[in-house]
């Protein structure tokens, strides 16, 4: 079975090198290096930290929140997820918050792209629909609310927003505990 997303490299790289990039953030890094000329800052150490927070402290807890059938486990996953979101905010470079709503301030980066599928879309739409999850409207979470507004207005994001009802429906197997994907097995 083919993995999605996938980027077929053309022309193929040197012998022995991969001719296909499958992981979404690897696709972002490749596009940044070869076409965006580094404008997404995927090689920046701060951006790499932001991406790592998404991968280790947000994504797994989103799935745990969604998949857990017992309320105490859901509550623990929601608390860890909120903590992960605050870690992402804290990982921003000094001065970024004053400069703008994105991870690097005014500049949209790979760290923003890493968070974007999870917040605002999946956390608000899916975790909200299935688990009643809401981002607290406190001062600590204000940078994420500003990020949400800014990212929704970004032209490249507006062109890629998926249908809300379809996205929510696609996650029903996670919410009812019947998902059999690799992610479901890894997080369970």
């Amino acid at each position: 079975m083919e993995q999605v997303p996938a980027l077929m490299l053309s022309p193929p790289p040197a012998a022995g090198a991969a001719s296909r990039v499958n992981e979404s953030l690897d696709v972002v890094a490749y596009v940044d290096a070869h076409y965006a000329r580094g404008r997404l800052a995927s090689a920046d150490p701060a951006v790499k930290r932001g991406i790592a927070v998404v991968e280790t402290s947000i994504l797994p807890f989103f799935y745990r929140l969604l998949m857990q059938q017992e309320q105490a486990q859901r509550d623990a996953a929601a608390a860890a997820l909120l903590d992960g979101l605050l870690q992402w905010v804290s990982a921003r470079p000094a001065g970024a918050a004053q400069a703008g709503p994105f991870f690097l301030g005014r500049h949209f980066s790979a760290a923003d792209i890493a968070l974007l599928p999870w917040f605002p879309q999946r956390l608000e739409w899916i975790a909200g629909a299935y688990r009643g999850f809401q981002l607290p409207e406190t001062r600590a979470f204000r940078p994420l609310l500003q990020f949400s507004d800014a990212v929704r207005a970004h032209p490249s994001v507006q062109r890629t927003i998926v249908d809300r009802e379809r996205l929510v429906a696609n996650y029903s197997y996670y919410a009812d505990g019947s998902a059999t994907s690799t992610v479901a097995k890894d997080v369970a």
Side-chain angles (χ1 to χ4, degrees), residues 1 10 35-36 39 53 61 89 97 113-114 141:
M1 186 164 138
S10 180
Y35 300 101
R39 289 188 306 252
V53 168
F61 295 106
V89 170
I113 293 170
F141 290 94

Side-chain angles (χ1 to χ4, degrees), residues 10-181:
S10 180
S19 62
R20 176 186 177 108
V21 180
N22 291 316
E23 297 298 325
S24 58
L25 292 174
D26 292 340
V27 170
V28 170
Y30 181 86
V31 168
D32 189 27
H34 292 86
Y35 300 101
R37 296 183 187 94
R39 289 188 306 252
L40 297 175
S42 57
D44 182 295
V47 170
K48 287 182 177 185
R49 283 192 303 276
I51 291 169
V53 168
V54 172
E55 293 176 325
T56 62
S57 299
I58 296 173
L59 189 144
F61 295 106
F62 162 78
Y63 281 105
R64 287 185 187 137
L65 171 63
L66 201 55
M67 293 173 58
Q68 295 300 327
Q69 300 304 307
E70 294 181 25
Q71 190 61 45
Q73 293 174 325
R74 288 180 189 166
D75 291 345
L81 181 55
L82 290 171
D83 182 61
L85 289 166
L86 291 176
Q87 287 178 41
W88 188 85
V89 170
S90 296
R92 295 172 75 190
Q98 293 75 29
F102 299 115
F103 187 80
L104 295 177
R106 287 188 310 257
H107 304 287
F108 190 67
S109 74
D112 301 301
I113 293 170
L115 181 61
L116 174 61
W118 310 105
F119 181 78
Q121 280 189 337
R122 282 165 180 79
L123 293 181
E124 289 180 2
W125 295 357
I126 297 165
Y130 291 114
R131 300 295 182 249
F133 181 85
Q134 290 184 315
L135 193 68
E137 292 187 25
T138 63
R139 185 171 190 218
F141 290 94
R142 193 170 300 141
L144 288 161
L145 297 171
Q146 293 167 342
F147 168 81
S148 177
D149 291 342
V151 79
R152 288 175 205 257
H154 198 280
S156 65
V157 173
Q158 288 180 340
R159 290 189 300 265
T160 61
I161 295 293
V162 297
D163 179 72
R164 182 179 189 150
E165 291 174 9
R166 184 174 163 206
L167 187 64
V168 170
N170 283 343
Y171 277 82
S172 65
Y173 297 109
Y174 290 97
D176 69 16
S178 65
T180 59
S181 71

